[in-house]
Amino acid sequence: MGPENPKLYDVNIASGDDSITDKIGFRTIETKGQDILLNGKSIFLRGVCIHEEAAYRGGRAHSLEDARQLLGWAKEMGCNFVRLSHYTHNEYMIREAERMGILLWAEIPLYWTIQFENPAVLTNAKNQFTEMFNKDKNRAAVIIWALANETPVGDARLSFLRNYGEYIRGLDQARLISAAMDTHGGGDEPNTIVMNDPLGEILDVLGCNEYYGWYSGLPDKSTLLTWKTIYDKPLIVSEFGGGAVYGKHGDKLERWTEEYQEYFFEENLKMLEKIPFLRGTTPWILMDFRSARRPLTGIQDYYNRKGVISDQGQKKKAFYTIQNYYRHK
């Protein structure tokens, strides 16, 4: 199986009077130094994050038509990869991605400051992963299991995630393990980001979320940054983005306009191009989605507006910025 020309094979399994038919893909995925190798060849993962949110009608995306809509937009943008945020997505998403040749990052809702000292939480995480693994273990599209999202550095967290990572490897040695980590400054080196989270020791692929130009400074701040790593491993920038209301226009420095979001991605992509160990990006996020934490009246109205497509399927200017970037990757 490869992203450009996926091939699925009909597999029939019979035992007595019982039989089952499935379509199965075959591929290898591995890392070598700072490269990700698909079927032995280096690949750049041109991705996007997706929530299980239905376009147009709102509510949960749960049908084959929903999967085709969301993944079709990702494919149109030039994606060969999708991060399924931040929980197990329904089977249509995984099977349709496989049919379309889109590779997948899968994760359970393990993020922020959970009770890392509580054994019951670790048991819960293992149970959730086991259910996801049993559902998707035969899906060649899934190439990365993610441990966690934006968890703070600390001994209890590291012990928890090391234990959880060992559990995943005990079930599956054929896929890669990553995590969406936070970025860290370079100490005495100004304008430097260093991938030095100790969690990186147990990962195959480094992942990080960054919002330079949205939560921190203006978009041109990102072009001043230099990225370094203490690991000889590939990096996926697993989140980066800024909000915009579809149809709201203005100066490129006016927040919430399509022009600001476009400017954000233009500057961020310039920065990312200078990271020698970068092997993939998943901008946040494909489509606007409901969020009770986003109440800003007239702008958010309880939606996260970082989508490059509105919840009504309208493509913002940033969609085409990313599309153009991916056409040259």
Side-chain angles (χ1 to χ4, degrees):
M1 176 181 172
E4 308 310 323
N5 56 341
K7 184 173 179 60
L8 301 178
Y9 299 86
D10 290 322
V11 175
N12 301 296
I13 302 173
S15 177
D17 294 331
D18 296 325
S19 65
I20 187 171
T21 299
D22 203 351
K23 288 186 176 294
I24 302 291
F26 299 91
R27 55 99 189 101
T28 62
I29 191 73
E30 59 188 315
T31 62
K32 184 177 182 180
Q34 296 178 347
D35 275 343
I36 298 174
L37 304 180
L38 175 69
N39 297 329
K41 296 180 179 179
S42 180
I43 185 172
F44 187 91
L45 298 173
R46 309 183 307 269
V48 70
C49 295
I50 292 182
H51 260 311
E52 201 173 56
E53 180 91 1
Y56 305 111
R57 71 175 190 275
R60 178 172 172 259
H62 60 81
S63 68
L64 176 59
E65 291 73 21
D66 292 335
R68 285 176 173 169
Q69 181 71 79
L70 295 170
L71 294 169
W73 280 332
K75 195 82 170 179
E76 182 184 351
M77 198 165 67
C79 294
N80 61 12
F81 180 60
V82 160
R83 180 187 180 198
L84 299 177
S85 319
H86 285 302
Y87 38 78
T88 303
H89 286 227
N90 72 84
E91 190 169 358
Y92 285 121
M93 285 292 286
I94 286 79
R95 286 184 175 273
E96 192 62 13
E98 192 163 63
R99 188 190 67 80
M100 296 171 66
I102 296 176
L103 303 169
L104 297 174
W105 158 314
E107 61 190 53
I108 65 169
L110 200 166
Y111 51 85
W112 300 347
T113 53
I114 64 171
Q115 297 178 356
F116 292 111
E117 301 88 351
N118 188 340
V121 176
L122 179 59
T123 299
N124 187 316
K126 290 178 179 179
N127 286 341
Q128 288 191 53
F129 177 79
T130 301
E131 291 181 359
M132 179 171 66
F133 174 73
N134 287 336
K135 178 174 74 74
D136 298 330
K137 62 185 176 182
N138 291 324
R139 306 273 70 86
V142 179
I143 61 168
I144 291 175
W145 302 122
L147 295 185
N149 179 72
E150 295 179 353
T151 51
V153 174
D155 292 340
R157 169 261 203 172
L158 185 59
S159 176
F160 181 107
L161 294 179
R162 180 179 287 117
N163 189 317
Y164 178 48
E166 289 172 354
Y167 179 77
I168 291 176
R169 289 199 194 280
L171 289 176
D172 189 353
Q173 297 85 46
R175 291 179 174 88
L176 306 177
I177 291 179
S178 187
M181 299 178 286
D182 291 318
T183 57
H184 300 97
D188 295 334
E189 297 183 75
N191 296 324
T192 300
I193 303 300
V194 181
M195 298 302 302
N196 60 2
D197 189 322
L199 180 59
E201 296 177 7
I202 64 177
L203 304 178
D204 301 303
V205 178
L206 307 175
C208 77
N209 298 347
E210 63 87 5
Y211 288 90
Y212 299 110
W214 184 250
Y215 294 122
S216 174
L218 295 173
D220 60 356
K221 174 184 178 177
S222 61
T223 57
L224 302 176
L225 299 174
T226 299
W227 289 60
K228 297 183 178 180
T229 181
I230 64 172
Y231 301 107
D232 185 27
K233 297 180 178 183
L235 169 69
I236 296 173
V237 175
S238 41
E239 288 182 29
F240 64 111
V245 177
Y246 173 78
K248 182 175 176 59
H249 296 288
D251 186 84
K252 70 179 184 179
L253 292 180
E254 182 183 349
R255 296 256 177 171
W256 303 111
T257 64
E258 289 192 45
E259 284 72 21
Y260 190 101
Q261 187 187 45
E262 177 185 45
Y263 181 42
F264 170 92
F265 279 109
E266 288 173 347
E267 296 299 289
N268 261 253
L269 292 172
K270 290 177 187 176
M271 172 189 68
L272 299 182
E273 273 296 287
K274 297 188 295 182
I275 304 176
F277 48 97
L278 182 72
R279 295 299 180 270
T281 55
T282 51
W284 186 268
I285 189 168
L286 180 69
M287 191 188 78
D288 292 348
F289 62 95
R290 294 164 300 158
S291 175
R293 303 180 65 201
R294 313 287 179 177
L296 184 60
T297 303
I299 298 292
Q300 293 171 312
D301 296 320
Y302 297 99
Y303 273 81
N304 186 311
R305 298 295 183 188
K306 292 188 182 72
V308 295
I309 301 175
S310 79
D311 60 293
Q312 294 303 306
Q314 301 146 318
K315 297 180 179 68
K316 304 175 190 179
K317 297 180 75 171
F319 177 94
Y320 300 102
T321 301
I322 299 168
Q323 183 187 64
N324 182 63
Y325 174 71
Y326 282 166
R327 282 174 175 168
H328 296 90
K329 293 302 293 182

